[in-house]
Amino acid sequence: MLLDLKDISVSYGKVSALRNISIAVPEGKIVTIICGNGAGKTTTLRAMSGMAPLTGVKSISWASASTACPRTGVSPMASPMCPEAAFSPI
């Protein structure tokens, strides 16, 4: 597996953003997360990349940092750390 998440949960204060999600991505596959607004797509990507406050984790494992990390990214609408990288919808 390139990526294997098991029972990941994320909370922002008292708000539970993700509850016990699991995702397995085999090597050589391309995966998209498509769902409605507020369903947790961005929070899932942030949890995968270590940018979200995990409240429950059974397992997060990458095949290897050298193969997985360059192929994974989060592109926020705005970032205080890198404002020049932000984009606006057309």
Side-chain angles (χ1 to χ4, degrees), residues 6-7 11-12 16 19 25 31 33 40 43 53-54 66 71-72 86:
K6 291 185 182 165
D7 296 325
S11 293
Y12 298 103
S16 178
R19 289 185 212 140
V25 180
V31 175
I33 301 173
T43 300
L54 301 174
S66 63
R71 298 178 186 165
T72 304

Side-chain angles (χ1 to χ4, degrees), residues 42-59:
T42 300
T43 300
T44 301
L45 293 173
R46 287 180 177 160
M48 288 168 42
S49 62
M51 296 171 54
L54 301 174
T55 54
V57 178
K58 286 198 177 172
S59 173

